[in-house]
Amino acid sequence: LALPWIADNYTRDIAINVLIYISLGLGLNIVIGLAGLLDLGYIAFYAVGAYTYALLNTNFGVPFWLALPVGCVISAGVGAFIGYPTLKMRGDYLAIVTLAFAQIFKLLLQNLHTPVNITGGVNGIYSFDPINIFGFRLVTPIAYAYLIWIFAAIATIGSLRIKQSRIGRGWQAIREDELAAEAMGVNTTGMKLMAFAAGAFTAGAAGALFASFQDSVFPNNFDFQQLVIVYCMVILGGLGNIAGVIAGAVLLSILPEFLREYGAYRMMSYGLILILLMALRPQGIMGGIGFLVRKKSRPDKDK
């Protein structure tokens, strides 16, 4: 809590990026970690939230407190729209279709500037109005840091609550055995759509916060490399493990800063980390740690 006040601008910006990645990772964790859906189009929902906020703010003067929820709802709607026709697909087929959607969406962002300029093409959209929440103007990095910190906290608490809820248990049942879950009365179609929408909703909120903080959006902010980074964070921490996702986001947001002088070689670190992790600890760095796992006992053994 004290970091935004005592840190320099460089450290503060890194902390803000960590918080945004935590929110992104928690949203992806719903889709792949809890529901077990290999969605490679996730980063497109991040872009939907960012560009929705940018268009509403620059073209129509919509304030932050209204543009943010609109971006979240539109992202969730796009997530459900994309999820519906892919519900019958699993594994590699689902991954290929969702990845194609992400690439097509990025191409649209790059080319929707003629004949009518909508997205600004490769030049993007910039110069947004300052955030004004009920008369309080957020113009300093410290204020942005606390705003994004609050949202990351809400996303964390929400993830914890939903994982322990009936919906969360339904997602985990689908992840483990979809046929068995359906036989036990789980509405697998509706639950999958809900997972796509919930993950997209969180990604859209993170996108709107990212756009407002950066004061601009560009297509290259949402390329395949960003998807790989977020996936690495979730897998590194442990699929379905909320504390692990947060740890992965912190680690992989800070580590590249130490490797920045090595240029392109720093991206190789993600692949190396994943290879070592899959070989040595496939459950993730936080998976199976005692104090983070609620131990289950057999009813017939309770005395």
Side-chain angles (χ1 to χ4, degrees):
L1 287 174
L3 182 63
W5 287 99
I6 64 178
D8 55 30
N9 290 334
Y10 174 70
T11 305
R12 191 183 298 115
D13 287 347
I14 293 176
I16 291 174
N17 284 328
V18 168
L19 293 171
I20 292 175
Y21 274 124
I22 286 174
S23 302
L24 269 179
L26 290 173
L28 180 61
N29 188 55
I30 291 175
V31 183
I32 185 176
L34 296 184
L37 302 173
L38 189 55
D39 177 15
L40 294 185
Y42 179 75
I43 206 68
F45 308 130
Y46 182 44
V48 170
Y51 269 87
T52 298
Y53 173 82
L55 291 170
L56 290 176
N57 188 270
T58 56
N59 293 345
F60 304 101
V62 178
F64 172 83
W65 59 268
L66 182 57
L68 175 65
V70 171
C72 293
V73 171
I74 292 178
S75 296
V78 173
F81 178 78
I82 297 300
Y84 183 76
T86 61
L87 289 178
K88 299 299 182 182
M89 301 178 183
R90 301 176 185 173
D92 298 341
Y93 298 102
L94 177 63
I96 291 171
V97 171
T98 52
L99 177 61
F101 163 70
Q103 297 304 308
I104 291 171
F105 189 78
K106 183 185 176 183
L107 289 174
L108 286 175
L109 296 179
Q110 292 175 333
N111 293 282
L112 282 180
H113 60 96
T114 56
V116 179
N117 188 5
I118 299 177
T119 63
V122 294
N123 295 320
I125 306 173
Y126 47 87
S127 297
F128 307 145
D129 295 333
I131 294 179
N132 191 325
I133 303 177
F134 305 116
F136 295 95
R137 290 170 60 88
L138 306 183
V139 293
T140 65
I142 294 176
Y144 272 101
Y146 282 116
L147 175 66
I148 298 175
W149 187 97
I150 290 171
F151 178 78
I154 293 173
T156 302
I157 295 171
S159 295
L160 289 169
R161 295 288 295 172
I162 201 169
K163 181 180 180 180
Q164 298 168 1
S165 69
R166 184 175 182 178
I167 295 174
R169 292 194 295 270
W171 285 336
Q172 293 172 76
I174 293 173
R175 179 193 65 194
E176 297 300 328
D177 192 324
E178 183 176 344
L179 184 60
E182 191 168 5
M184 293 299 294
V186 177
N187 182 358
T188 56
T189 300
M191 294 294 287
K192 285 183 179 180
L193 277 177
M194 196 179 299
F196 267 102
F201 184 94
T202 308
L209 290 168
F210 168 76
S212 64
F213 170 68
Q214 185 175 260
D215 199 32
S216 59
V217 286
F218 306 97
N220 288 337
N221 294 140
F222 314 103
D223 56 11
F224 184 73
Q225 176 179 315
Q226 291 297 316
L227 176 68
V228 172
I229 292 173
V230 179
Y231 258 88
C232 286
M233 292 173 177
V234 176
I235 295 173
L236 177 65
L239 291 174
N241 189 308
I242 295 171
V245 172
I246 295 174
V250 172
L251 179 62
L252 292 186
S253 296
I254 296 176
L255 179 63
E257 300 303 322
F258 292 99
L259 303 175
R260 186 173 292 277
E261 60 181 292
Y262 298 103
Y265 291 101
R266 65 180 180 144
M267 289 305 301
M268 295 176 61
S269 64
Y270 292 115
L272 180 61
I273 289 173
L274 283 183
I275 291 173
L276 293 175
L277 190 69
M278 291 297 99
L280 303 177
R281 192 172 175 81
Q283 72 270 36
I285 57 176
M286 303 290 281
I289 296 180
F291 68 92
L292 294 173
V293 178
R294 180 180 295 178
K295 295 183 179 180
K296 299 179 180 179
S297 59
R298 288 175 50 181
D300 59 326
K301 296 295 183 180
D302 294 338
K303 299 296 184 180

